[in-house]
Every structure is written in C-alpha cells, then in structure tokens.
Amino acid sequence: MKISAFATILVGFSSSLSIGNGFMIQQPSSPSFKTTTTSLYDIVSPFDDANTANKESVATTFAEGGAAVSGSDDDDDQPLDLTWENVDMVLEEMRPYLIQDGGNVAIDEIDGPVVRLQLQGACGTCPSSTQTMKMGLERRLREKIPEIQEVVQAMPEGPPLEDEQIEIVLDGVRPFLQVAGGSIDIDRVEGVGGLQPTIWLAMEGASASLHSVKLEIAQRLQRHFMMSGLRIAWVGDDEDDF
C-alpha cells in the first residue's frame, strides 16, 4: 500500500512516522514530547485490483526538510504580510512533498483574506484533497501569514450534475455489486445549482451495509463531477452521508 509523503504535513513533520492501520508519532530527543497513537481512516477500495489486503508499516524519517517546514528557526516565527510572493514562498516549502506524490499546487486567486489554490496533477483528483488543503496547506499558510482567514480549493469545471452522468459512474461499480447480489440506483438529485447539491442513492444487497463500499462510490462521484459542496446521501442510512 502506497503511503503519501505529504502525510508528513498532516501530522506535523515529526522526526519519526510509522503508518499502517494507525500512525505513531515519536520524537525521542524531546523529553516533553508525548507519544500519540491515532487511527487512520484507511479504506482499501473493493473495486481496485491494484489494492491488496496486506497492510504495510512504513517508517519515514525527516531531517532538514521537515525541520525547515516545522518552523523551528527563529526567522520562521516572524509573521508575513499577505502578498502573492509570500504565499508562494510558503507553498514552496511544501511543494517537494506534493511533487513526490505526482502533484503540485499553484495560487489561483487572492481575494482579500481568502486564498484560492489549485491542486494539480495527482493531488487534484485525490480523494484526500480536502484534507491536503485544510490540514496541510491552509494550516501552514495561516501560521505564517495570520491575515489569511481561509484557504479554498479552486475546482475545475466538471460535467453537469444530471442522471446520465451519475449513471456513467454507477455503471462502473454495478458489476462488482452484482457479484454479491447487490444493486444500486439513483433515488433523486436535490439542490442542483445550490451550495450543497445532493445525490441520493439506494443500494441493496450485502454491500449496502459496508461503509468502505459507500465511501468508494461517493469518492468516484465526487472525482467525476469535481463540484465543491457535492454531497452523497443514502436512502435509509443517514450515518453514511459523504
């Protein structure tokens, strides 16, 4: 299982990082540092032949690169003004980790205290792009440039939100559901053109109770439409809305 190098940003650039079913951050050099174990939201797609059931433990050690971003230098404690050049300078610290995963980031627009970024390459279509944006890029930018109130993702324009386009995605997963005697259909689409459009789906069979299957389908729909605020809901199951 591939472990994203950019996960180092999300967990704060610890000196030692081990990732498997959970991750452990450990920094023996600091006596006041507490060891923390947290469960990762680790889903293996039931539809991707490339995934295996083996869970690997990966240990990565960051030295100069991690220290540079962690803000340990005295100069890093000085707040920066909100300018295009300063935003790009902070992003430059994190680009190597995005590039290592086949992605990149660019400034799309600065509108007052709101910075709009464009995730490029593999990062633009990654299901974890929201976490990358909020927990990684936004956190670091706001630490360095306090004037920033929010960092949002510039979303490319996708296909129209209509039944025909939804069926294209569902047709890609139906053969796998049918093997287990299941099915999936569109129940309704609400809020088209609004701030939070919602696709309601009805799924039957053994797979209907599997959170990982629902998550996979939701992520495929969100990647297909590339629509900010798109919500995937399930008839009869309010707990698994995405």
Side-chain angles (χ1 to χ4, degrees), residues 1 44 48-56:
M1 180 178 65
V44 176
D48 190 350
D49 294 336
N51 286 315
T52 65
N54 296 328
K55 303 282 187 176
E56 299 181 65

Side-chain angles (χ1 to χ4, degrees), residues 6-180:
F6 196 64
T8 59
I9 293 178
L10 305 187
V11 296
F13 292 94
S14 63
S15 63
S16 177
L17 174 66
S18 177
I19 300 183
N21 290 334
F23 62 78
M24 179 172 287
I25 309 168
Q26 199 168 22
Q27 191 175 24
S29 60
S30 175
S32 63
F33 188 88
K34 295 183 179 180
T35 299
T36 306
T37 303
T38 308
S39 175
L40 284 181
Y41 203 65
D42 185 15
I43 299 298
V44 176
S45 167
F47 305 123
D48 190 350
D49 294 336
N51 286 315
T52 65
N54 296 328
K55 303 282 187 176
E56 299 181 65
S57 180
V58 178
T60 308
T61 302
F62 297 91
E64 297 179 359
V69 184
S70 63
S72 59
D73 294 338
D74 292 339
D75 292 341
D76 286 347
D77 295 334
Q78 300 300 320
L80 301 173
D81 293 331
L82 178 51
T83 66
W84 191 285
E85 292 75 15
N86 284 340
V87 171
D88 196 60
M89 180 177 65
V90 177
L91 292 177
E92 190 63 28
E93 298 175 350
M94 296 177 280
R95 281 195 175 100
Y97 302 94
L98 295 170
I99 293 172
Q100 185 172 334
D101 286 335
N104 208 332
V105 63
I107 306 171
D108 183 77
E109 181 185 19
I110 298 178
D111 184 9
V114 178
V115 176
R116 189 178 302 274
L117 302 178
Q118 183 181 52
L119 292 177
Q120 301 172 336
C123 294
T125 57
C126 174
S128 301
S129 60
T130 300
Q131 287 85 344
T132 298
M133 182 68 69
K134 291 296 180 182
M135 297 176 64
L137 301 176
E138 180 178 71
R139 184 181 69 177
R140 182 58 178 162
L141 283 167
R142 293 183 70 179
E143 284 176 355
K144 294 297 297 176
I145 309 174
E147 292 179 61
I148 297 176
Q149 293 184 5
E150 187 178 15
V151 178
V152 297
Q153 182 176 356
M155 301 294 290
E157 186 175 352
L161 183 56
E162 55 190 24
D163 287 5
E164 182 180 355
Q165 290 294 325
I166 299 172
E167 289 290 353
I168 291 174
V169 178
L170 298 184
D171 284 344
V173 302
R174 282 190 173 110
F176 302 94
L177 297 177
Q178 291 169 358
V179 170

